[in-house]
């Protein structure tokens, strides 16, 4: 499976390492700050780094995404992933409310 990771903060390293150790390809990384996302992508050998989450979701070579961003962004990114036809894993909590969770589901 080929993954994109949305979020370049501390927890993303946990997910990237786990995916790579399991034999998955991590092809794309999104982060809000260009210097941070480029450095993390370089560190983990991820070929594509960007500051636009939609750019990751538009990629045909990405089958699924890990959403590892601040909680307040989970719903918007999950719904965008659904529209893009991507499978996803959402870092806990799934969303900030039961209503947000229901919209994602």
């Amino acid at each position: 499976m080929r993954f994109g990771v949305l979020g370049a903060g501390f927890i993303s390293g946990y997910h990237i390492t786990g995916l790579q150790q399991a034999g998955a390809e991590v092809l794309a990384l999104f982060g809000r700050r260009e210097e941070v996302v480029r450095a993390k992508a370089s560190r983990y050998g991820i070929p594509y780094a960007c500051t636009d989450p939609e750019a990751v979701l538009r990629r045909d070579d990405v089958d699924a995404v890990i959403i590892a961003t601040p909680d307040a962004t989970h719903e918007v990114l999950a719904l965008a992933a659904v529209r893009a036809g991507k499978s996803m894993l959402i870092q806990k909590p799934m969303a900030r409310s039961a209503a947000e969770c229901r919209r994602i589901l």
Side-chain angles (χ1 to χ4, degrees), residues 24-89:
E25 291 181 84
V26 181
L27 300 177
L29 179 65
F30 153 77
R32 291 178 293 171
R33 296 190 328 230
E34 187 169 349
E35 66 280 359
V36 172
V37 71
R38 291 200 186 284
K40 186 159 269 191
S42 177
R43 177 179 176 196
Y44 288 97
I46 300 170
Y48 182 75
C50 66
T51 57
D52 176 10
E54 292 288 339
V56 174
L57 295 171
R58 283 191 301 266
R59 293 180 64 97
D60 290 333
D61 60 350
V62 169
D63 303 309
V65 293
I66 305 293
I67 299 176
T69 55
D71 302 347
T73 65
H74 289 183
E75 179 188 17
V76 169
L77 292 173
L79 294 176
V82 168
R83 285 191 299 276
K86 306 297 183 191
S87 296
M88 72 189 97
L89 178 144

